[in-house]
Amino acid sequence: MMMILGIPAPLLFGQLLLGVVNGAFYALMSLGLAIIFGMLNIVNFAHGALFMLGAFTAWGLLNYAGIGYWWALLLAPLIVGAFGVLLERLFISKLYKLDHLYGLLLTFGLALILEGLVRNYYGSSGLPYRIPSQLQGAQNLGFMIMPNYRGWVVLAAIVMCVITWLVIEKTSIGAKLRAATENAPLVQSFGINVPLMITLTYGAGVALAAFAGVLAAPIYSVNPNMGANFIIVVFAVVVIGGMGSILGSIVTGFGLGIVEGLTRVFYPEGSATVIFVVMVIVLLARPAGLFGRAH
Amino acid sequence: MADAMLKVTNLESWYGESHILHGVDFEVREGEVVTLLGRNGAGKTTTMKSIMGLVGRRAGSIRFKGEEIVGLRPDLVARRGIALCPEERGIFASLDVTENLMLPPRIAEGGLDIERIYTLFPNLKERANSPGTKLSGGEQQMLAIARILRTGARLLLLDEPTEGLAPVIVQQIGRTIREIKALGFTVLLVEQNFRFAATVADRHYVMEHGKVIDMIPNAELERSMDKLHEYLGV
C-alpha cells in the first residue's frame, strides 16, 4: 500500500476529501453570512437554522409532494430564501439603526425558535434522505475511493461559489451591492432602491444556506441541530476570511476544511479545535482577517 | 420671470434630536447656477441632503417642477431628476473608475453618453480601470461630477466641489461647471469660496444658523462685498 509521511494514502486522501467536503459547506455557508454582514451589517446567527430548513424543505418536498433531489436543489433555496425575505421585512429591517448586538440577539432567538419548532414536529433523532440514484456508488481513483455524491457536493459548491463571486465582482448588480456596502445612503440617492436591494440580498444569502442544506441532506441525517453544529465553525471561517469578504469566505472555507481534514489524520485530538486555533493566530496577526479591510 | 424649477419653502430638518434647518427659503430657476454661501455649520450641506431626502426628519416644502418631494425617499427624489455630487465626493473604493461612473442608473433621457463624458474629462478615460480612490483629488471630483451627468437628471446639486483642491484644479472645476450650464443643466452649488462662486453663478443665497438670510445676484456681488465679508467672516 502506498504510504505518504507514514500514513496510508487511502486514509490520507479519504480524510482530505472529507475535509474538502466540509470545506465546501463552510464556504457556502460563510459566503451567505459574508454577503449578509457586508450589506446589512447583521451577524446572522439564524444562518445555521436556515441551512437546516433547507435540508428539511428538501425532505418535505420528497415526502409530502414526491419532489426529488434535483428539483429540491432549485426549489428549497427559493422557498427558504422567500422565508428569509419575510424574516428581513418583519424583524431584521427594524434593527438597522441599532447596535450589532440587537441583530445578533434577534437572529439567535430566531434560530432557537426555528430549531425548536422543527424539533417539536420531527424529533431530534434525524430523518433519512437518500442520495439520488444518479450519484450513488463510488469511483476508484487508484489512491482512494471517492463516493460520487461527495464529489458532486464539492463540484456544486465550487460552481455556486464561483457564480456568486462573479455576480458580485463582475456585474453591475454586484457593483451596486459593493457600493451600497460602502455607503448605502449615497447609492440610494442615485435612484437605486436600496431597501429592496437589502431585502433581496438577505434572501439570496439565506438561499445559499438552504442550497448548502439540500446538499448536506443525504450526507448528514436531516435533523434540527445540523445547522447549530456548523454555525460556530462557520463564524470562525468568516472571521478568519475577513468579515464581509466574499473571496475570503470561499478561500478560507475550503482551506480550513482541508486543514481540519489533515489534522484529523496527523493529530486527531486537535481536529475539533484546530479552526479556532487558526482563528486566534489570524486575529493576532491580522485583526481584520486574511482578506478583510481594516476600518 | 420663469417659474422656479426648485422651490424650497420654510424647510426645517433634524439629525436625531438636533434641529439644523430653521425655515430655509430659496428657489432655483431652470438653467441657472445658484450658490448657497455661508460659514461652516450654516446648514448648506444639510440643505442639499434635505432636498435629496438624506436627513432624518424634514418639514416644510420642497417643490421640484411643481411636484412636492419633501416626503419622498432618496431614490424616488433622484428618479424625479435631481442628482447629488456629495461633499467628500463619495467615490467607492471597491469600484474602479468605470464602475463608479456607470453606477447611477439612467433616470431620464438627456444624460451625457460615455463618449461625451470622456471628451469632457479625458483623464477618466485614461484611468478607466483604476480603483476610484486611487485617483487624485481633482480627478475624483471630476469623476463625481461626471457620474451624475450620465443619469439624465437636470438639476445637479454640487456640494463644495472645490474643497481641498489646488487652484489650477479649482479653475478646471469652474470651466466644467460653465460647460455644464451651457449644456442646459441647472446647478445648485454649495461653496465657501465666494470668489470661485462669483465665476460660475447667476445668484447667491447666503445662509446663517440654518436659514437663508440674503440673496445677492452675481451682478451685484462686487457692490455687496462688505456685506458678504461680514456674513462669511472673511
Side-chain angles (χ1 to χ4, degrees):
Chain A
M1 184 183 290
M2 189 168 70
M3 303 287 278
I4 298 172
L5 297 172
I7 307 284
L11 173 64
L12 179 64
F13 287 112
Q15 286 299 334
L16 206 56
L17 175 66
L18 205 60
V20 175
V21 170
N22 278 341
F25 289 119
Y26 297 158
L28 275 177
M29 296 273 284
S30 59
L31 190 59
L33 271 182
I35 291 170
I36 289 170
F37 180 79
M39 183 80 188
L40 285 72
N41 251 348
I42 290 281
V43 180
N44 187 33
F45 247 94
H47 215 64
L50 294 162
F51 163 82
M52 174 271 294
L53 275 191
F56 264 95
T57 304
W59 183 90
L61 284 170
L62 182 65
N63 287 281
Y64 297 133
I67 295 171
Y69 175 85
W70 297 105
W71 277 107
L73 209 51
L74 176 71
L75 291 176
L78 289 177
I79 293 167
V80 181
F83 178 64
V85 164
L86 202 65
L87 288 182
E88 194 278 340
R89 278 293 85 203
L90 289 178
F91 304 111
I92 296 169
S93 61
K94 319 293 181 207
L95 304 178
Y96 293 138
K97 290 178 179 165
L98 301 177
D99 190 86
H100 287 314
L101 193 60
Y102 290 89
L104 195 148
L105 287 173
L106 173 77
T107 53
F108 184 58
L110 284 173
L112 292 179
I113 291 168
L114 291 173
E115 285 164 6
L117 282 172
V118 173
R119 191 176 298 114
N120 200 34
Y121 285 102
Y122 298 101
S124 53
S125 57
L127 303 165
Y129 191 94
R130 282 175 65 79
I131 292 173
S133 57
Q134 299 90 332
L135 295 172
Q136 285 176 0
Q139 304 296 318
N140 188 349
L141 302 179
F143 54 90
M144 64 175 285
I145 305 289
M146 187 180 76
N148 292 342
Y149 188 77
R150 296 193 179 222
W152 156 249
V153 166
V154 174
L155 180 71
I158 290 173
V159 168
M160 187 54 79
C161 286
V162 169
I163 289 173
T164 307
W165 182 82
L166 285 174
V167 166
I168 290 173
E169 296 294 329
K170 303 291 176 195
T171 67
S172 68
I173 293 173
K176 290 184 177 82
L177 279 174
R178 281 179 283 139
T181 302
E182 284 186 50
N183 188 344
L186 180 60
V187 171
Q188 194 171 3
S189 80
F190 290 149
I192 296 166
N193 189 342
V194 171
L196 178 66
M197 204 160 78
I198 288 175
T199 302
L200 294 179
T201 301
Y202 187 80
V206 167
L208 275 173
F211 180 79
V214 181
L215 285 180
I219 296 184
Y220 309 103
S221 74
V222 178
N223 73 84
N225 298 323
M226 63 191 293
N229 297 339
F230 259 114
I231 195 71
I232 300 298
V233 174
V234 171
F235 269 112
V237 171
V238 173
V239 170
I240 294 167
M243 294 290 280
S245 165
I246 305 301
L247 190 62
S249 292
I250 298 170
V251 173
T252 313
F254 278 101
L256 288 179
I258 292 169
V259 168
E260 197 181 42
L262 289 175
T263 310
R264 210 172 280 130
V265 176
F266 292 104
Y267 185 60
E269 299 86 341
S271 63
T273 50
V274 66
I275 286 179
F276 302 100
V277 174
V278 173
M279 183 176 82
V280 169
I281 294 167
V282 168
L283 285 181
L284 284 172
R286 283 180 65 93
L290 293 176
F291 294 82
R293 267 199 301 266
H295 292 285
Chain B
M1 183 181 287
D3 284 343
M5 185 187 216
L6 178 77
K7 187 171 177 62
V8 175
T9 312
N10 198 26
L11 177 64
E12 299 191 52
S13 292
W14 289 260
Y15 288 125
E17 294 299 308
S18 302
H19 193 175
I20 309 295
L21 299 185
H22 300 269
V24 172
D25 297 281
F26 69 91
E27 62 179 45
V28 183
R29 295 188 282 273
E30 192 157 3
E32 274 191 314
V33 175
V34 170
T35 61
L36 297 179
L37 299 172
R39 299 185 204 205
N40 270 338
K44 307 183 296 295
T45 293
T46 304
T47 302
M48 297 291 226
K49 287 186 172 176
S50 299
I51 294 168
M52 287 310 301
L54 291 170
V55 295
R57 190 152 63 94
R58 292 170 293 172
S61 168
I62 303 170
R63 297 189 81 82
F64 179 65
K65 294 182 176 173
E67 183 192 1
E68 183 59 67
I69 60 167
V70 80
L72 295 183
R73 285 196 325 242
D75 51 313
L76 299 177
V77 173
R79 296 250 163 210
R80 297 297 189 276
I82 305 178
L84 172 69
C85 173
E87 199 181 15
E88 314 289 347
R89 295 149 199 149
I91 302 302
F92 297 98
S94 59
L95 273 56
D96 65 26
V97 168
T98 307
E99 286 175 325
N100 267 288
L101 203 51
M102 305 304 275
L103 183 70
R106 282 187 183 276
I107 51 101
E109 293 298 312
L112 303 190
D113 61 33
I114 201 77
E115 285 311 313
R116 183 86 179 87
I117 284 175
Y118 282 147
T119 310
L120 273 174
F121 308 104
N123 285 16
L124 298 183
K125 189 171 189 177
E126 290 165 20
R127 309 287 306 271
N129 296 318
S130 305
T133 47
K134 295 289 181 200
L135 302 184
S136 69
E139 287 171 331
Q140 285 191 30
Q141 190 60 65
M142 295 298 178
L143 175 56
I145 295 173
R147 186 167 60 183
I148 58 173
L149 291 176
R150 260 193 70 252
T151 63
R154 300 308 292 174
L155 174 60
L156 311 181
L157 312 183
L158 309 184
D159 194 350
E160 300 219 33
T162 62
E163 190 185 21
L165 299 179
V168 63
I169 307 292
V170 171
Q171 285 177 7
Q172 206 176 335
I173 301 276
R175 278 198 298 277
T176 304
I177 293 174
R178 284 190 290 276
E179 281 182 59
I180 288 171
K181 184 183 178 188
L183 289 169
F185 288 93
T186 307
V187 177
L188 177 61
L189 179 70
V190 159
E191 263 301 332
Q192 289 204 52
N193 179 351
F194 70 87
R195 290 184 184 84
F196 168 76
T199 65
V200 295
D202 298 299
R203 292 183 298 126
H204 310 274
Y205 286 96
V206 183
M207 291 191 70
E208 199 171 279
H209 303 309
K211 291 184 103 164
V212 169
I213 54 165
D214 202 354
M215 192 280 285
I216 306 172
N218 200 46
E220 294 174 19
L221 198 64
E222 277 300 315
R223 270 178 282 148
S224 309
M225 273 302 163
D226 290 345
K227 197 164 58 168
L228 202 56
H229 281 141
E230 190 182 322
Y231 287 145
L232 302 180
V234 290

